[in-house]
Amino acid sequence: MNKQNIAKLNMFFMGISQRNSENKDFFNKLEVTFKSGIKSFTGVGEDQNGKYKFNFKGKTDVFTFEDLLKHIAIESENYDSISFRYIERGTTVLIEGDNKKVTVKYMDNEDVKPNIDEYTASQIKNRDYYVKVGQANDLLKEIGVLTKDGKIKNDKIRKYNQIDHFVELIDKLLKEIEFKDSITVLDCACGKSYLSFVLNYYIKEVLKKKCYFVGIDYSETVIKASKKMADNLGYKNMDFIKEDLTNYTPNREIDLVISLHACDIATDMAIGLGIRAKSKAIVVVPCCHKELLGQYKYEALEPIIKHGVFKARFADLITDGMRTLMLEARGYDTSVVEYISPLDTPKNLMIRAIKKKEKNEKALKEYNELKSMFDVEPTLEKLI
């Protein structure tokens, strides 16, 4: 390549260097192909703990990222043309150059449309998925929705639909909130963190927004499992911490708190942590409710709640109702939606809360009136 176009190549490389500096967590690899006549020579660069190893012509060298780009630019002087691919999660930057011109092109992962087998296609044809088979295959295989060869598992179609519906609801919520350049999500009582992995994929690779995830759980086993999944997927923008929710203090600003089916007061711990962290939004799908079942009394309803099933269901209603009121008292606009069909699980309500103001005295008064009426002392208010 001539010196004039190598200079243009270096200008594009300056942009690549800046992109890498701002998006290190999302870098996968770079590929470069040099051509001389009919011969091609390909090199691959990968991140190795902050350094970048570059394998070319059977030799591997280690560089800083800037020095690697300089090395590639110098090497291009010996060839007729270069095709350079900077590959990060969701986006590939393609730079092509020869003695006539140098061009740059940005390509999304949506441009890749792998074949989908007939059975899988028949199972997913009735829904326009947010997390699509084909584009999200690595993720869907890792969380067990797809087989290794990309076929949907018979017993995982319902799980896939539930996960995708969760993303749909979160997508609507994200559009109601003004975020900075990056979104930080805190997953409380994260378990195997499936929803965090799915949201990570969706926010970065579909919405094209930078994001960071923190998963908190007291189980060392699930924390290790989540870390392994993150390594398998190459999701470097995730951190998993073994900690009790009541003891954890975030070291960064939190935009969204999520919690799925955290048992009993663990949901209150998640809400409390979200309020303490001044999260812009909180989304929880509560599980079992035990605390208020043994506390509440309401003489006028005794002829009904003398039946254990009715007493338990009313305890659920009081618990989630008072949770929404406490969120409103703390300045959150709240809504309650049916997350999935009650045929799948009776614990199917999702509470969504978006921070709108500092406090709501009317909601606080209503909360305190309900406390007095039912003679209860919810743990939630002690966790804020």
Side-chain angles (χ1 to χ4, degrees):
M1 287 177 61
N2 59 46
K3 290 185 178 180
Q4 182 179 357
N5 283 351
I6 288 174
K8 291 180 181 179
L9 180 65
N10 276 316
M11 288 182 62
F12 285 129
F13 277 177
M14 288 175 63
I16 292 292
S17 181
Q18 181 68 24
R19 188 181 187 101
N20 180 263
S21 175
E22 296 174 354
N23 297 276
K24 285 184 183 296
D25 287 341
F26 308 116
F27 173 76
N28 283 339
K29 63 180 178 178
L30 62 82
E31 298 173 344
V32 57
T33 299
F34 299 104
K35 282 190 176 181
S36 182
I38 61 172
K39 292 184 177 180
S40 297
F41 305 89
T42 298
V44 177
E46 297 178 302
D47 183 11
Q48 190 176 52
N49 299 320
K51 294 289 186 178
Y52 294 83
K53 63 177 183 179
F54 183 61
N55 184 274
F56 184 60
K57 289 185 175 180
K59 181 184 177 184
T60 300
D61 294 303
V62 179
F63 302 88
T64 65
F65 191 76
E66 288 187 358
D67 286 343
L68 174 54
L69 295 182
K70 289 177 183 177
H71 177 77
I72 292 171
I74 292 170
E75 190 69 31
S76 66
E77 296 177 11
N78 303 317
Y79 299 91
D80 297 329
S81 67
I82 181 176
S83 176
F84 173 94
R85 290 175 179 265
Y86 177 85
I87 303 168
E88 65 180 25
R89 285 180 49 203
T91 304
T92 295
V93 183
L94 172 64
I95 299 174
E96 295 180 307
D98 55 25
N99 285 320
K100 294 181 180 179
K101 61 182 179 179
V102 181
T103 61
V104 63
K105 180 180 179 181
Y106 295 82
M107 300 181 296
D108 292 340
N109 59 358
E110 286 87 348
D111 297 334
V112 180
K113 299 188 183 298
N115 291 328
I116 300 174
D117 69 279
E118 188 175 331
Y119 172 74
T120 298
S122 70
Q123 295 299 314
I124 64 177
K125 65 181 179 180
N126 294 323
R127 177 180 173 86
D128 184 15
Y129 286 85
Y130 284 72
V131 178
K132 301 181 188 299
V133 171
Q135 294 162 7
N137 274 15
D138 289 344
L139 166 72
L140 295 174
K141 288 176 186 178
E142 186 65 34
I143 65 175
V145 170
L146 299 181
T147 62
K148 290 182 179 179
D149 57 357
K151 295 182 179 180
I152 197 161
K153 296 179 181 179
N154 291 336
D155 59 343
K156 297 299 182 182
I157 297 168
R158 183 178 292 176
K159 175 182 177 182
Y160 180 32
N161 288 331
Q162 291 175 6
I163 288 172
D164 199 72
H165 185 49
F166 186 90
V167 175
E168 179 182 2
L169 294 171
I170 291 293
D171 179 71
K172 293 176 181 177
L173 179 140
L174 292 176
K175 289 171 182 173
E176 295 180 52
I177 304 170
E178 301 235 346
F179 287 106
K180 309 178 297 297
D181 290 338
S182 180
I183 299 170
T184 300
V185 180
L186 179 61
D187 189 349
C188 297
C190 62
K192 293 182 179 179
S193 309
Y194 289 160
L195 289 180
S196 276
F197 287 112
V198 171
L199 283 179
N200 192 338
Y201 167 84
Y202 182 72
I203 293 171
K204 178 64 185 76
E205 301 188 34
V206 179
L207 298 183
K208 308 300 181 188
K209 290 179 176 286
K210 288 190 286 187
C211 52
Y212 184 81
F213 283 75
V214 180
I216 308 293
D217 203 288
Y218 61 79
S219 168
E220 183 71 35
T221 301
V222 299
I223 290 297
K224 286 182 178 179
S226 294
K227 287 181 177 179
K228 187 175 186 301
M229 289 176 68
D231 288 341
N232 292 343
L233 288 165
Y235 286 9
K236 294 176 280 188
N237 61 328
M238 305 187 84
D239 194 15
F240 297 97
I241 302 169
K242 180 184 179 298
E243 182 61 270
D244 188 293
L245 292 174
T246 58
N247 296 330
Y248 177 71
T249 301
N251 59 3
R252 59 196 298 153
E253 188 175 338
I254 302 298
D255 297 300
L256 172 62
V257 166
I258 63 173
S259 181
L260 178 67
H261 292 157
C263 289
D264 200 21
I265 63 168
T267 293
D268 297 302
M269 293 177 184
I271 295 172
L273 178 51
I275 293 173
R276 294 197 310 274
K278 299 181 179 178
S279 178
K280 293 182 178 70
I282 300 171
V283 177
V284 297
V285 179
C287 189
C288 52
H289 306 76
K290 296 178 182 177
E291 183 186 36
L292 299 192
L293 177 60
Q295 289 187 29
Y296 86 90
K297 305 179 187 69
Y298 194 55
E299 192 171 331
L301 286 179
E302 191 57 38
I304 296 174
I305 61 176
K306 67 182 180 182
H307 301 287
V309 173
F310 291 153
K311 184 175 178 66
R313 289 183 180 178
F314 196 65
D316 292 352
L317 183 63
I318 296 171
T319 302
D320 287 334
M322 294 190 72
R323 284 167 173 164
T324 61
L325 273 176
M326 178 52 71
L327 282 162
E328 289 171 9
R330 290 291 174 156
Y332 289 84
D333 281 1
T334 63
S335 61
V336 182
V337 297
E338 194 172 72
Y339 165 43
I340 54 176
S341 168
L343 296 175
D344 293 328
T345 172
K347 307 300 182 182
N348 69 332
L349 295 183
M350 172 185 282
I351 299 172
R352 297 185 296 177
I354 302 174
K355 184 75 170 177
K356 294 292 186 179
K357 53 189 176 183
E358 282 304 309
K359 57 184 178 179
N360 182 332
E361 295 293 350
K362 179 175 179 292
L364 181 60
K365 180 182 177 183
E366 291 170 342
Y367 175 87
N368 285 324
E369 286 174 350
L370 286 176
K371 273 184 61 179
S372 177
M373 180 187 299
F374 294 118
D375 192 20
V376 293
E377 292 290 337
T379 294
L380 175 58
E381 63 186 86
K382 303 168 188 174
L383 299 171
I384 299 171

